[in-house]
Amino acid sequence: MFKSLTGKEPAAQVIENAKKEVAKMKRKPHLVIVLVGNDPASEIYVRKKLEKAESIGVRATLKKFDEKTSEKEVLALVCRLNEDDDVDGFIVQAPLPKQIDQNRVLDAIDPKKDVDGWTVANLGKLTAGMSDAYLPATPAGVMKMLEFYKVPLRGKHAVVVGRSNVVGKPMALLLLAKDATVTICHSKTQNLANHTRNADVIVAAAGNPKLITADMVKEGAFIIDVGTTKVGDKTVGDVDYENVIKKANCSPVPGGVGPMTVAMLISNVLDVAKRQRR
Ligand code: NAP
């Protein structure tokens, strides 16, 4: 049996460090989460983020808007949060309802308060290899998992499945920064298996249940499954975990990347608080 790359232990390590740092701070950092609409998955993610932040002593506030809220109203709140000295960092939970231009809203966030690392400024810094970029929480969490499980990256072939601005592209850049040779695949990629079969490391972020099957992976490879799709009452990953784990090391869904995303968000909040108050 190969190793199940669970997120629980590396996430606990990040959270434990964060707890110690918060305990030393005179002023507790303040995270705000903006949630627009009633997407059930978003509500669960937001609740987990708020609970985890509060459990380690970070002040966490939810600003909730209903489904029909206009872009103007959300942008007005973003401006207020940018100006509010008592707010260290904030996120606007994606996806936003159709009437709102998500890119416009996310990019209105002050890059210094952008704890999700989704602004063009922070993504640009990441692309340029600048060390003061705030990193998107999910790809940063995957990197922490790879580090925790001592997965070799230098000179290895990594395949990222998915090219979104929030997961796939930053993921590829972070792997590249660790000297992996990176291939990015997407929905127009021809013969995905030809790429994944040659990979030492696969990060699957397509949102396509069981897209990666055992015949598509190299024996002993390391596979991180970012995908989460609701199928009935279950959350299903992009990897056929039950069969792939017989051939390669693989992260489960749930219990893999999810806890890492929350932990890295908290870590970013502390980072922002330390930099702003220095
Ligand atoms: P997204 O914006 O929908 O992007 C999905 C990407 O996957 C796109 O680039 C798409 O290609 C590609 N893709 C779709 N089907 C494919 C296929 N059959 N073969 C190859 N590539 C394919 O999604 P996202 O925001 O990046 O998120 C990806 C997944 O991760 C989702 O399931 C999301 O729920 C999950 N997620 C989980 C966490 C967590 O904490 N666990 C955090 C964030 C996201 P095109 O560009 O060609 O359309």
Side-chain angles (χ1 to χ4, degrees):
M1 198 68 161
F2 289 87
K3 204 169 177 58
S4 179
L5 309 172
T6 62
K8 203 174 150 203
E9 299 83 357
Q13 205 176 68
V14 174
I15 292 293
E16 202 42 52
N17 287 339
K19 211 179 208 168
K20 284 185 196 148
E21 285 200 45
V22 177
K24 283 190 247 159
M25 290 174 163
K26 279 198 201 106
R27 179 192 161 277
K28 302 301 173 208
H30 186 196
L31 165 71
V32 173
I33 301 185
V34 181
L35 175 63
V36 188
N38 310 307
D39 177 57
S42 293
E43 288 194 337
I44 294 170
Y45 295 147
V46 166
R47 200 182 59 233
K48 282 187 182 163
K49 289 170 186 174
L50 293 167
E51 281 171 5
K52 191 53 86 180
E54 279 165 353
S55 76
I56 66 153
V58 168
R59 288 178 292 149
T61 305
L62 173 65
K63 300 271 186 196
K64 196 168 186 310
F65 285 111
D66 71 46
E67 189 74 28
K68 295 204 171 77
T69 305
S70 69
E71 183 177 304
K72 208 171 148 192
E73 283 173 272
V74 180
L75 281 171
L77 175 64
V78 167
C79 286
R80 287 201 299 279
L81 295 172
N82 282 343
E83 299 296 320
D84 189 340
D85 280 344
D86 189 43
V87 175
D88 294 276
F90 65 99
I91 68 168
V92 179
Q93 182 70 35
L96 290 169
K98 285 192 291 294
Q99 73 277 15
I100 299 176
D101 180 337
Q102 188 161 301
N103 283 339
R104 193 177 298 155
V105 169
L106 295 181
D107 205 43
I109 297 172
D110 179 343
K112 293 197 282 308
K113 294 191 175 188
D114 171 27
V115 284
D116 247 343
W118 286 0
T119 56
V120 172
N122 276 314
L123 291 171
K125 282 186 176 186
L126 168 62
T127 308
M130 291 164 72
S131 60
D132 61 341
Y134 290 117
L135 303 179
T138 302
V142 172
M143 293 308 288
K144 267 273 180 255
M145 281 173 85
L146 294 171
E147 189 189 309
F148 181 88
Y149 289 108
K150 298 186 171 55
V151 177
L153 294 175
R154 192 174 189 180
K156 299 292 178 185
H157 183 204
V159 168
V160 178
V161 186
R163 58 173 167 180
S164 72
N165 288 341
V166 294
V167 189
K169 283 183 202 158
M171 188 71 248
L173 288 166
L174 289 169
L175 289 163
L176 192 61
K178 291 288 176 194
D179 297 325
T181 301
V182 184
T183 302
I184 306 177
C185 298
H186 46 79
S187 68
K188 311 294 183 294
T189 297
Q190 291 180 8
N191 206 339
L192 180 63
N194 270 358
H195 299 282
T196 55
R197 263 187 218 122
N198 286 315
D200 302 298
V201 175
I202 300 171
V203 179
N208 202 319
K210 299 196 180 182
L211 174 68
I212 309 293
T213 50
D215 61 317
M216 292 169 72
V217 307
K218 181 159 90 176
E219 178 141 358
F222 290 86
I223 299 151
I224 305 287
D225 191 353
V226 179
T228 51
T229 308
K230 271 270 169 216
V231 179
D233 59 354
K234 282 198 175 147
T235 302
V236 182
D238 286 350
V239 179
D240 178 10
Y241 178 85
E242 283 76 27
N243 292 308
V244 169
I245 194 73
K246 293 174 194 156
K247 196 176 172 189
N249 311 284
C250 186
S251 72
V253 174
V257 175
M260 292 309 296
T261 297
V262 179
M264 297 314 286
L265 169 71
I266 308 279
S267 168
N268 273 353
V269 175
L270 296 199
D271 214 18
V272 173
K274 281 189 291 185
R275 283 197 221 176
Q276 312 260 6
R277 314 281 159 186
R278 211 172 270 161

